[in-house]
Amino acid sequence: NRRYSYSKYNKWEKIVAWTANIAAKYPKLVSRIQIGTTTEERPMYLLKVGKQRSAKNAIFIDCGIHAREWISPAFCQWFVKEATKTYGKDKLMTKLLNSLTFYILPVLNIDGYVWTWTADRMWRKNRSNSSNTNCIGTDLNRNFDVQWCSIGSSNKACSEVYCGPAAESEKETKAVANFIRNNIQSIKAYLSFHSYSQMLLYPYSYTYELAPTHEELNDVAKAAVGALSSLYRTNYTYGPAASTIYPTSGSSADWAYDKGIKYSFTFELRDRGKYGFLLPEYLIKSTCKETMLATLSIKRQ
Ligand code: 0X9
Ligand code: ZN
């Protein structure tokens, strides 16, 4: 583990070995839970980080729902590294992990991620074959059961925003949705990490109407963006997803919010398009550090 590189992009085989190693290294703080298997039968592991015996207060974090957004899984790994390294040393982290459990899914769309390492760096969707066309893949961030396959989504299998044959048709979506449903009483926040654009988004995405708790979400987002920018003056915008980025239906964040998870946020990490999805490795560290500040700011709620 000491040799694990958090400022490089890691391929799936390395990440999965890392999940086992970190759980073994911190057995009282970290455990590894399998929540399902992917289309291509890879195990979906999440890391449960925290000291609570029965998780009463939890935050669910996923990274890598879109395959090519490599900075996102890098952040999930960074987060777990920071949490394990500073627990018992840093006052805030110690306090946090004593009373809060983090469920961290380091790569949601594993098959797609593997595909970006082996065949097509710009792949976005998962790797399921669910149509009678030659086109592969469903956009997992259009496959959740919330206004499924309407605005900002397509029923054409060849589209990059294909919603799939039905809501929750994909094994990856189902695994995440089931885990959240099974832990719904404890999950207070849902955070989903994407790239790129430098934005912090909150519901709704499926409508331009403001969410019932819009004011509070806006306050939390403003504080988080303030914390993030304090480090390197990175410019972030924030607001309701539909009007800040574009409308989408079937997204995980809208689904989580409508399930009753009050604090549902989507990060679009660096950059603003210079490198786009191909953010160079030398920018991983600073991106993760500033994102850490924003994430911890949201937790304080
Ligand atoms: O289109 C998406 O799924 C996200 N952008 S990305 O470039 N990473 O693909 C934006 C999703 C916005 N919707 C919600 N936050 N609900
Ligand atoms: Zn994305």
Side-chain angles (χ1 to χ4, degrees):
N1 254 349
R2 250 184 308 123
R3 293 186 162 273
Y4 196 72
S5 186
Y6 293 96
S7 28
K8 285 199 158 41
Y9 296 119
N10 293 301
K11 58 179 183 178
W12 167 245
E13 290 74 11
K14 280 207 171 170
I15 299 174
V16 77
W18 165 82
T19 60
N21 291 338
I22 203 142
K25 187 172 172 190
Y26 301 96
K28 291 178 179 157
L29 188 61
V30 180
S31 55
R32 190 175 85 159
I33 302 169
Q34 186 176 352
I35 63 165
T37 53
T38 67
T39 307
E40 295 174 345
E41 306 290 346
R42 293 185 177 87
M44 295 175 72
Y45 293 120
L46 63 72
L47 292 172
K48 180 181 180 185
V49 183
K51 293 294 281 183
Q52 289 187 106
R53 275 192 195 180
S54 59
K56 279 212 174 108
N57 295 302
I59 295 187
F60 186 95
I61 296 180
D62 62 56
C63 292
I65 192 169
H66 289 140
R68 64 190 170 196
E69 299 166 9
W70 285 10
I71 187 63
S72 163
F75 174 71
C76 267
Q77 293 162 70
W78 187 277
F79 182 89
V80 174
K81 172 200 68 135
E82 281 297 310
T84 51
K85 212 179 72 179
T86 61
Y87 179 78
K89 298 194 172 76
D90 174 77
K91 226 175 144 190
L92 171 70
M93 188 60 84
T94 307
K95 229 184 115 183
L96 213 55
L97 295 180
N98 281 337
S99 57
L100 197 57
T101 299
F102 291 91
Y103 294 116
I104 295 145
L105 183 57
V107 187
L108 196 163
N109 176 10
I110 300 165
D111 300 344
Y113 188 72
V114 169
W115 195 248
T116 61
W117 277 81
T118 54
D120 178 359
R121 176 63 184 86
M122 290 303 274
W123 192 257
R124 166 183 170 93
K125 302 186 283 182
N126 77 348
R127 293 293 304 163
S128 74
N129 187 352
S130 55
S131 72
N132 47 15
T133 72
N134 287 327
C135 293
I136 297 284
T138 291
D139 183 347
L140 297 175
N141 209 29
R142 302 293 182 277
N143 191 238
F144 283 78
D145 193 6
V146 60
Q147 300 286 312
W148 175 76
C149 213
S150 50
I151 194 165
S153 183
S154 171
N155 59 5
K156 305 273 187 303
C158 299
S159 165
E160 283 283 73
V161 290
Y162 176 46
C163 56
E168 283 186 28
S169 58
E170 306 308 298
K171 287 175 73 185
E172 297 85 357
T173 313
K174 197 98 200 157
V176 170
N178 281 340
F179 183 84
I180 291 176
R181 275 190 287 261
N182 290 338
N183 294 278
I184 194 71
Q185 314 88 327
S186 64
I187 299 177
K188 312 292 182 202
Y190 171 82
L191 308 180
S192 190
F193 288 87
H194 290 251
S195 72
Y196 58 92
S197 288
Q198 296 175 194
M199 290 175 179
L200 181 50
L201 309 168
Y202 54 82
Y204 288 111
S205 196
Y206 65 70
T207 173
Y208 288 100
E209 277 174 40
L210 294 182
T213 60
H214 168 264
E215 306 269 316
E216 190 183 4
L217 291 167
N218 195 265
D219 288 348
V220 174
K222 184 179 182 177
V225 162
L228 186 150
S229 311
S230 69
L231 205 48
Y232 310 110
R233 305 181 158 273
T234 305
N235 264 315
Y236 255 66
T237 49
Y238 61 94
S243 57
T244 306
I245 185 162
Y246 43 67
T248 63
S249 52
S251 72
S252 61
D254 279 356
W255 176 81
Y257 184 74
D258 278 357
K259 281 277 134 198
I261 299 175
K262 256 180 92 181
Y263 302 102
S264 174
F265 292 96
T266 301
F267 282 80
E268 296 285 352
L269 301 177
R270 288 198 213 169
D271 54 15
R272 276 189 161 160
K274 181 177 181 199
Y275 299 108
F277 302 118
L278 308 179
L279 193 73
E281 286 184 327
Y282 81 88
L283 293 171
I284 294 176
K285 188 175 169 183
S286 53
T287 303
C288 289
K289 280 179 116 173
E290 67 185 10
T291 307
M292 196 73 199
L293 295 183
T295 306
L296 293 176
S297 159
I298 292 173
K299 270 139 214 177
R300 233 160 276 152
Q301 301 313 310

